Amino acid sequence: MPLAGRNFVENIIAEERRESPISPWLITIPLVTAAFLFALNETIANVALPYIAGTISIGRSESTWIVTSYLVASSIVIPAIGYFCKVFGRKNYFIFSIALFTVASVLCGISRSMSMIILSRFLQGIGGGAILPLVQAIMMEIFPQKEWGKAMSLYGFAFVIAPIIGPVIGGWLTENWSWPWIFLINAPVGLICAISLVKLIKDPPYAQKQQNAKIDFFAFGMLVIWILLLQVVLDKGNDAGWFDASWICWLMGISTTAGILFFYTQFKNKKDPLLDLRLLKNLNFLFGTLIQMVLLFVLIASAMLLPSMLQGLLGYTAFLGGVSMLPRGLGSLAGLVVLVAVTGKVPEKVSCFIGLVLIGVGGLLFGLLNMQISLANVFMPNFLYGMGMVMSMTPVINLSCATLKKEDLTMGSSLQNLMKNLGASFGTSIATTCISRFSQMHQNMMVGYLNDLNTVFAEHVNNVAINLSKYVDFDTAHYMALKQMHFSLLEQSTLWAFIDTFRIFALASFIIIPLLLLMRENRTNSDNQ
């Protein structure tokens, strides 16, 4: 946009701030609450999956669709946010999204079949997918840029803390009430948010309902096919033997073709693209988006894996599995305090660098766990994860949007949140596959030592059999001793699979640090006071 046009838009925003009698901090309360609700539902069902699976009679692997359908749906709707904002007006579409999210939450709570709960979660994701991009864009409009640090710290804290405490809330509700309440609690909060925002927000001229709004339906269709089929491949590929199954090859081929066509149409369509991919030419925005994708991958995947490990290997209840995530909340709170204290005093790149290092160290500490751990042993790595997430996520959001024009914030936020959601949904599937593959790999490595030629193994089996022979005959005792060793083999190989995956999280955090160093601090937007 020409400089005169950009100044015109910025002057409108500045004028609205002066005329508005409502404090932006008051508007922030329902905005951040809505963002918190969406992020909370990314992980709140994790610890309840065995209970849900039992109620609707499905397997554990199938139950993961309850998580991924929500993430995929939210990813699909993001590219169409700009179109819906033009057709209905941003305020109307935002409130409709919160209302749909609330109604779908109730439908999730009353679901008693796999098809109904997955459809309900899909609708919940469709409604919730617009929440984060619009909250981020609105907050960056109602605050002058010099206050972005404080405002986005609160947004980033809610966005990071919600997936962390999700398993805690979900575990407590599942243990003390029943799993439907993990969805039903959204209803009153969502209703209050929607009613509050009707009174508190208004659309600037460029976000109001527009005539002759257009959308590239072909590109949108290609996007839906690409994401849905790729998610199916990632979720089911490991069970099917990946490309040994012909149907996986077909789905992957169709998904890849659809993805190529989608990106081609977006680069060619310079007038009304679903996603303005030209924003990726802005290196701050590109690198910041890539960093956030990795952070969401680590945040969501680790929040799913840790309770699963504790419940599956150590016999923790759903509530205790959720409680294991509480130190992340404490770390997030500590990170927020530090971040607010250093805002304006320490460069944002430094804060983000420290946060990434903390996440990496936390991942390495998770790699030291064993079968004799207690909840106290997961405190420090979880604390570092929480603190690192807040200290890295908030500054990188500011850095990535600092060099965008004001009128590009909504589109940029949509593109960024799409990529983050993809990082979370694909990352969850990839992490699950890592557990399965690494477990098989370690079984194969260890089983070679479990034979009679290994004197340590033979002696251990014989000692166990002698002890058991007090209660049964020796042949049966020997068989039971071998079964015990087989159980230990499976247990240890699974533990090592979790350890390796957490170490991959650490490696990913360290690898993206050079991208941070390539970003620049200077801002091109005015403060708009």
Side-chain angles (χ1 to χ4, degrees):
M1 175 179 284
L3 181 60
R6 188 170 65 208
N7 289 338
F8 173 73
V9 172
E10 293 174 350
N11 289 337
I12 290 177
I13 298 173
E15 187 65 27
E16 286 180 354
R17 289 198 187 114
R18 285 192 291 269
E19 292 179 355
S20 176
I22 303 175
S23 167
W25 291 106
L26 179 61
I27 303 174
T28 296
I29 296 174
L31 288 176
V32 171
T33 302
F36 179 86
L37 270 185
F38 170 78
L40 181 74
N41 278 266
E42 292 179 334
T43 60
I44 194 171
N46 287 356
V47 295
L49 290 181
Y51 299 84
I52 299 175
T55 300
I56 60 180
S57 302
I58 61 175
R60 181 63 185 268
S61 61
E62 294 173 308
S63 69
T64 58
W65 275 96
I66 297 170
V67 176
T68 55
S69 60
Y70 178 76
L71 295 171
V72 169
S74 60
S75 300
I76 289 173
V77 76
I78 287 175
I81 289 176
Y83 170 73
F84 289 128
C85 287
K86 293 176 182 178
V87 172
F88 303 109
R90 189 174 66 186
K91 175 181 176 179
N92 293 334
Y93 175 57
F94 185 35
I95 293 171
F96 168 78
S97 296
I98 297 176
L100 177 60
F101 174 87
T102 303
V103 172
S105 297
V106 176
L107 293 177
C108 289
I110 63 176
S111 296
R112 288 300 179 272
S113 68
M114 180 178 177
S115 58
M116 183 175 179
I117 193 169
I118 290 178
L119 176 60
S120 300
R121 282 286 278 177
F122 193 84
L123 290 175
Q124 193 185 33
I126 292 292
I131 292 177
L132 288 184
L134 293 181
V135 167
Q136 183 176 329
I138 292 172
M139 288 185 66
M140 287 183 167
E141 288 175 357
I142 62 177
F143 286 95
Q145 189 166 323
K146 68 178 183 180
E147 295 185 13
W148 275 11
K150 294 179 180 178
M152 297 312 292
S153 293
L154 183 60
Y155 167 79
F157 176 73
F159 178 67
V160 172
I161 193 67
I164 292 172
I165 68 172
V168 183
I169 297 174
W172 186 85
L173 289 172
T174 301
E175 291 276 321
N176 294 280
W177 294 63
S178 59
W179 67 261
W181 285 99
I182 66 180
F183 302 113
L184 296 177
I185 60 170
N186 295 323
V189 183
L191 184 62
I192 292 171
C193 285
I195 294 174
S196 301
L197 291 171
V198 169
K199 301 292 184 181
L200 292 176
I201 63 173
K202 65 177 182 177
D203 288 335
Y206 58 85
Q208 293 174 358
K209 182 177 179 180
Q210 300 178 19
Q211 299 296 326
N212 302 320
K214 297 180 180 180
I215 185 173
D216 189 339
F217 286 103
F218 175 78
F220 185 68
M222 292 299 100
L223 175 71
V224 172
I225 293 172
W226 170 48
I227 293 177
L228 279 179
L229 295 189
L230 183 56
Q231 187 66 49
V232 172
V233 170
L234 291 173
D235 274 349
K236 300 300 180 183
N238 188 63
D239 295 337
W242 291 106
F243 297 109
D244 290 336
S246 60
W247 67 273
I248 289 288
C249 297
W250 277 104
L251 289 187
M252 190 63 188
I254 297 172
S255 174
T256 302
T257 302
I260 292 172
L261 289 174
F262 168 72
F263 285 106
Y264 176 77
T265 57
Q266 296 311 285
F267 279 116
K268 294 288 289 184
N269 188 346
K270 299 181 180 180
K271 187 177 181 181
D272 296 300
L274 273 176
L275 292 172
D276 191 353
L277 299 180
R278 289 170 295 178
L279 294 177
L280 296 176
K281 294 180 181 179
N282 184 310
L283 295 183
N284 260 39
F285 184 77
L286 173 61
F287 296 147
T289 301
L290 291 175
I291 291 172
Q292 290 178 67
M293 285 183 67
V294 175
L295 288 175
L296 260 291
F297 159 59
V298 174
L299 174 64
I300 301 301
S302 62
M304 180 192 72
L305 291 186
L306 183 60
S308 176
M309 183 185 78
L310 295 177
Q311 287 178 268
L313 292 179
L314 300 178
Y316 282 38
T317 63
F319 176 63
L320 287 178
V323 168
S324 68
M325 303 300 294
L326 271 180
R328 288 201 190 188
L330 297 176
S332 299
L333 183 60
L336 178 65
V337 172
V338 172
L339 200 58
V340 171
V342 302
T343 296
K345 302 175 183 177
V346 175
E348 290 175 320
K349 289 173 67 172
V350 174
S351 299
C352 187
F353 173 81
I354 294 173
L356 292 175
V357 171
L358 291 176
I359 295 170
V361 173
L364 294 177
L365 290 178
F366 273 127
L368 301 177
L369 299 181
N370 55 57
M371 296 300 297
Q372 282 72 49
I373 64 169
S374 65
L375 277 177
N377 295 105
V378 301
F379 179 90
M380 183 53 67
N382 256 332
F383 184 87
L384 294 178
Y385 257 44
M387 189 172 185
M389 282 293 172
V390 170
M391 293 193 66
S392 57
M393 183 68 75
T394 303
V396 82
I397 290 175
N398 295 341
L399 284 170
S400 63
C401 295
T403 53
L404 292 182
K405 302 172 185 176
K406 285 290 185 181
E407 59 269 29
D408 289 333
L409 285 176
T410 299
M411 180 65 78
S413 178
S414 297
L415 177 57
Q416 199 167 79
N417 280 278
L418 168 64
M419 301 308 291
K420 289 193 293 186
N421 277 11
L422 291 178
S425 59
F426 295 164
T428 300
S429 298
I430 292 170
T432 303
T433 300
C434 285
I435 296 299
S436 176
R437 289 292 177 174
F438 289 158
S439 178
Q440 294 172 9
M441 181 185 70
H442 284 291
Q443 284 183 47
N444 185 58
M445 291 172 58
M446 290 189 288
V447 75
Y449 296 95
L450 304 184
N451 56 68
D452 291 336
L453 297 178
N454 184 338
T455 56
V456 176
F457 169 77
E459 183 178 345
H460 179 78
V461 170
N462 188 60
N463 291 337
V464 172
I466 291 173
N467 290 330
L468 293 175
S469 63
K470 300 175 183 177
Y471 311 100
V472 295
D473 63 89
F474 187 80
D475 288 339
T476 302
H478 187 265
Y479 174 78
M480 292 173 65
L482 290 175
K483 291 291 291 184
Q484 185 183 93
M485 290 299 296
H486 177 68
F487 176 78
S488 297
L489 169 68
L490 296 178
E491 190 177 63
Q492 290 297 320
S493 62
T494 303
L495 174 64
W496 271 106
F498 279 105
I499 287 174
D500 287 346
T501 305
F502 279 118
R503 286 174 175 173
I504 288 176
F505 294 160
L507 180 63
S509 302
F510 290 133
I511 286 176
I512 59 177
I513 288 178
L515 296 180
L516 174 67
L517 302 178
L518 294 174
M519 299 174 71
R520 54 194 178 94
E521 294 270 2
N522 59 304
R523 306 179 184 273
T524 60
N525 293 325
S526 65
D527 286 348
N528 300 320
Q529 300 183 66

